């Protein structure tokens, strides 16, 4: 009580008559403002945190230095990549290709879609659980309470947009002087902030967050469509568009106007929307800090899901437990617009690599196949990830655990087969041997399906074991081994594919090797064992400790 009473002298705000409006257990008089409530909360938190000003400055210094080093490394890598890329043939109007500056424009459009989609899923204005419990019920104005939350995401989006566009323009392209790169980065930062502020304005009108995120997903999907139109119409910009410096003033005025409108309408945001946004943001932040990609995906997917549907699916094709499980996975995927857009965009990445002369090569296709395939593969495993979190359907159906794992590969396998035909078809068109590459696409599909299921059912990190100090806090020592489950299958299972890409053609021996590797991947990913490969080899050698419990028979846990 003494600490709280001491805060009343520190936290206050002058009223109309010049007297201090105290905030605290002993406060009397008129109601305080939202700003004084927020300052009192911050002061109480700082009083009990035990952190000094020196520690705060040290943390700020660490963040600034780390960010500067990261940006410098990104610029250096982009510059080295630009220097290593082949010059490519001179593109002319009507040629079926896309210039590198045109590809950068497509990437910027995709970045805008990602920012808008994330803003819609995260709120962007919200209150965390403790803040919502205490603040939202107080008879004070909410503008003073919500201003920091309303500023946070626009500022973060501005920094991310400026850094990404600056690295692309100054590092990858390198066709502008430093001043023009700075202007482009500042313009990108202002546009990024405007996009998030537009999402905030929609939230003040109680717009459904799924609608805002859907607009962002459509903008992201429009990026590869823009690239296809550029190829068809012969759009070949020789350099990244130069942005006039006067446009910064126009953008700054527009952003300031949006910020003022959003600030004046903060009181109109419903409490329900603030609570949901704060919950989603807290869940996403916790997932990022703990490096839990599954939890992050759940937070971003469930936040934009429709709470109610006008009609329910009849599931007319369900005839038994097998079809029920497969239908459930297919329904989960089809109802997630974000994952569908993710798959389509990932399928067009190798196509874009093939139409950009500077990227169309062995290294470009190898990176595109692995990275874009991993992105698409992650989207196909949503049903298995939900089953790992809540294995209700798995345990209700009369199916063995190993059979459930195999059935969970059906939907990822079908989707990744379609993705592989498009992606490997682009490689085959570049190599001049479409049939062989399509054959390799078919036989490599089980690798993607197995990796999706293996990543979905990976065990959680052991937080009870030894911890390792990292910039993101203390993490379990084996967290990297846990995160590698799934990507390790992709890298090892696609070795024959990468060999074929390096050779530039598909020998028969590579196809046979890929068939064998796919069979091994299917067998490994069908297993319900959560042990590492080293532990499984030790058990197979018979060196297990005496008295160890025998493997359970019958239905097993799917977790």
């Amino acid at each position: 009580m003494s600490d709280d009473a001491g805060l009343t002298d520190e936290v206050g705000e002058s009223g109309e008559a010049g007297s201090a409006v105290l905030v605290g257990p002993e406060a009397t008089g008129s109601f305080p403002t939202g700003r004084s409530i927020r300052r009192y909360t911050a002061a109480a938190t700082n009083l009990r945190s035990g952190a000094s000003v020196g520690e705060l400055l040290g943390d700020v210094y660490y963040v600034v230095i780390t960010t500067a080093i990261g940006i410098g490394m990104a610029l250096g890598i982009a510059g080295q990549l630009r220097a290593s890329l082949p010059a490519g043939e001179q593109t002319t109007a009507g040629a079926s290709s896309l210039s590198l500056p045109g590809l950068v424009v497509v990437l910027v459009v995709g970045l805008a879609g990602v920012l808008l989609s994330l803003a819609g899923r995260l709120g962007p204005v919200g209150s965390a659980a403790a803040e919502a419990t205490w603040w939202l019920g107080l008879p004070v104005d909410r503008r003073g309470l919500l201003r920091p939350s309303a500023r946070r995401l626009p500022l973060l989006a501005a920094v991310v947009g400026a850094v990404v566009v600056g690295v692309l323009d100054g590092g990858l392209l390198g066709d502008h002087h430093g001043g023009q790169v700075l202007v482009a980065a500042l313009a990108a930062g202002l546009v990024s902030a405007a996009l998030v502020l537009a999402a905030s304005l929609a939230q003040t009108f109680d717009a459904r967050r799924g609608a805002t995120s859907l607009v962002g997903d459509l903008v992201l999907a429009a990026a590869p469509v823009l690239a296809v139109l550029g190829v068809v119409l012969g759009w070949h910009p020789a350099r990244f568009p130069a942005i006039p410096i006067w446009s910064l003033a126009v953008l700054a005025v527009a952003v300031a106007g949006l910020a003022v409108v959003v600030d004046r309408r903060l009181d109109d945001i419903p409490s329900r929307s603030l609570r949901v946004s704060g919950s989603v943001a807290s869940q996403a932040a916790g997932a990022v800090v703990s490096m839990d990609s599954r939890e992050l995906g759940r937070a971003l997917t469930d936040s934009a899901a429709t709470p109610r549907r006008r009609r329910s699916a009849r599931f007319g094709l369900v005839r038994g437990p097998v079809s029920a499980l497969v239908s459930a996975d297919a329904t989960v995927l089809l109802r997630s617009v974000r994952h569908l857009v993710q798959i389509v965009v990932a399928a067009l990445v190798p196509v874009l690599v093939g139409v950009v002369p500077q990227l169309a090569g062995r290294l470009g296709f190898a990176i595109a196949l692995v990275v874009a395939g991993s992105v698409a593969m992650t989207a196909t495993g949503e049903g298995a990830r939900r089953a790992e979190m809540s294995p209700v359907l798995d345990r209700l159906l009369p199916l063995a655990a190993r059979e459930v794992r195999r059935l969970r590969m059906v939907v990822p396998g079908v989707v990744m087969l379609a993705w592989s035909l498009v992606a490997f078809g682009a490689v085959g068109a570049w190599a001049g041997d479409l049939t062989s590459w399509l054959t390799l696409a078919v036989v490599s599909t089980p690798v993607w399906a197995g990796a999706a299921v293996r990543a979905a059912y990976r065990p959680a990190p052991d937080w009870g074991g030894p911890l390792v100090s990292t910039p993101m806090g203390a993490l379990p020592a084996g967290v990297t081994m846990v995160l590698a489950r799934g990507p390790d299958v992709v890298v090892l299972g696609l070795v024959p594919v990468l060999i074929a890409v390096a050779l530039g053609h598909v020998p028969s021996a590579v196809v046979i090797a890929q068939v064998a590797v796919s069979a091994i991947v299917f067998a490994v990913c069908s297993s319900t064992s959560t042990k590492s490969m080293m532990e499984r080899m030790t058990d197979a050698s018979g060196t297990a400790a005496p008295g160890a419990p025998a493997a359970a028979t019958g239905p097993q846990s799917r977790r």
Side-chain angles (χ1 to χ4, degrees):
M1 181 65 71
S2 59
D3 292 340
D4 292 337
L7 288 172
T8 60
D9 297 331
E10 302 177 7
V11 185
E13 189 171 86
S14 298
E16 296 180 358
S19 60
V21 180
L22 301 180
V23 180
E26 306 298 330
T28 59
S30 61
F31 285 116
T33 62
R35 184 181 182 185
S36 61
I37 290 288
R38 175 167 48 83
R39 287 185 172 181
Y40 172 76
T41 305
T45 303
N46 294 334
L47 183 65
R48 292 168 173 80
S49 64
S52 62
V53 177
E55 293 176 348
L56 176 62
L57 294 177
D59 292 341
V60 172
Y61 172 80
Y62 180 81
V63 171
V64 172
I65 293 299
T66 304
T67 304
I69 293 175
I71 295 175
M73 293 179 60
L75 287 172
I77 294 174
Q80 291 293 330
L81 180 61
R82 182 186 70 246
S84 63
L85 289 177
E89 299 179 358
Q90 185 68 27
T91 56
T92 58
S96 298
S97 61
L98 185 68
S99 62
L100 191 59
L103 179 62
V104 171
V105 173
V106 172
L107 294 178
V108 172
V109 174
L111 173 64
V114 171
L115 288 177
L116 187 56
S117 178
L118 288 178
R121 296 174 190 279
L122 295 176
V125 183
S127 296
E131 297 173 350
T133 301
W134 183 41
W135 284 358
L136 298 184
L138 296 177
V140 299
D141 64 296
R142 291 185 178 178
R143 292 172 58 187
L145 296 175
L146 299 178
R147 274 175 183 150
S149 177
R151 297 170 186 162
R152 192 175 299 122
L153 276 183
L155 292 176
L156 180 60
V159 172
V160 172
V163 170
V164 172
V165 173
V167 169
L168 290 176
D169 190 12
L172 185 60
L173 296 181
D175 52 2
H176 288 150
H177 55 81
Q180 184 59 43
V181 172
L182 180 61
V183 171
L186 292 177
L190 291 173
V191 172
S192 301
L195 289 174
V196 179
L197 287 173
S200 301
L201 184 60
Q203 186 182 9
T204 62
F205 287 97
D206 198 17
R208 190 171 59 88
R209 64 180 62 247
T212 305
S213 61
L214 177 61
V215 173
D217 293 337
L218 294 178
V219 173
L220 176 59
V225 176
L226 177 63
V228 173
L229 290 177
V231 173
V232 174
L233 301 178
W235 178 58
H236 306 291
R239 56 191 303 173
F240 193 73
I243 300 175
I245 192 171
W246 56 264
S247 63
L248 294 180
V250 177
L251 289 174
V253 171
V255 170
L258 272 174
V260 171
V261 174
V262 170
D263 181 76
R264 291 183 177 180
R265 292 188 56 85
L266 287 178
D267 285 332
D268 298 331
I269 302 179
S271 300
R272 168 185 48 80
S273 177
L274 293 173
R275 289 188 177 93
V276 173
S277 299
S279 175
V280 172
S282 300
Q283 183 182 2
V288 171
V289 172
S290 60
M291 301 179 66
D292 190 348
S293 58
R294 289 181 303 192
E295 188 66 22
L296 179 61
R298 294 187 191 112
L300 297 180
T301 301
D302 296 342
S303 61
T306 304
R308 292 183 179 180
R309 296 188 175 273
R310 297 180 180 178
R311 56 184 180 181
S312 301
R314 295 182 178 275
F315 293 99
L317 299 178
V318 175
R319 294 293 184 269
V322 173
S323 57
L325 196 65
V326 176
S327 298
D329 284 354
T331 303
V332 169
L333 179 60
L334 292 175
R335 288 181 176 177
S336 178
V337 179
R338 179 177 72 91
H339 289 127
L340 295 177
V341 172
Q342 186 174 328
I343 294 169
V344 173
V345 173
L348 294 178
V349 168
V351 178
L352 293 181
V353 171
V355 298
V356 178
Q358 292 90 342
L359 299 179
R362 292 175 172 85
L363 180 60
F365 278 117
I367 296 176
L369 289 177
V370 174
V371 175
S374 299
V375 172
M377 175 268 297
T378 302
T380 63
E382 181 62 20
R385 286 192 295 271
R386 290 178 179 270
E388 188 277 335
M389 178 184 64
S390 179
V392 178
L393 186 61
D394 294 9
R395 294 177 178 176
L396 286 176
L397 297 177
L399 297 171
R402 187 181 296 270
E403 186 177 358
V404 168
R405 297 288 179 94
R406 292 172 179 172
L407 291 175
R408 293 286 181 191
M409 297 183 194
V410 173
V411 172
V414 172
V415 177
M416 291 309 297
L417 175 60
W419 180 92
S420 299
L421 293 177
V422 176
F424 284 73
V427 183
W430 166 76
D433 185 9
L434 190 60
T435 304
S436 298
W437 285 99
L438 292 181
T439 303
L440 188 60
V442 174
V443 298
S444 63
T445 299
V447 174
W448 300 112
V453 173
R454 178 175 169 84
Y457 283 96
R458 66 171 180 251
D462 182 14
W463 291 90
L467 302 179
V468 178
S469 178
T470 68
M472 302 181 69
L475 294 176
V479 66
T480 55
M481 297 298 296
V482 173
L483 294 177
R485 298 203 175 197
D488 56 350
V489 171
V490 172
V491 174
L492 297 177
L494 293 183
V495 168
V497 171
L498 296 178
I499 293 176
V501 173
L503 294 176
H505 63 280
V506 184
S508 301
V510 170
V511 177
I512 297 174
Q514 185 61 63
V515 172
V517 171
S518 298
I520 295 174
V521 168
F522 179 79
V524 171
C525 296
S526 298
S527 173
T528 58
S529 175
T530 59
K531 296 182 179 180
S532 64
M533 186 60 67
M534 183 62 66
E535 292 174 337
R536 295 175 66 180
M537 292 176 61
T538 302
D539 293 344
S541 62
T543 57
T553 58
Q556 302 177 23
S557 173
R558 275 76 178 172
R559 293 187 62 83

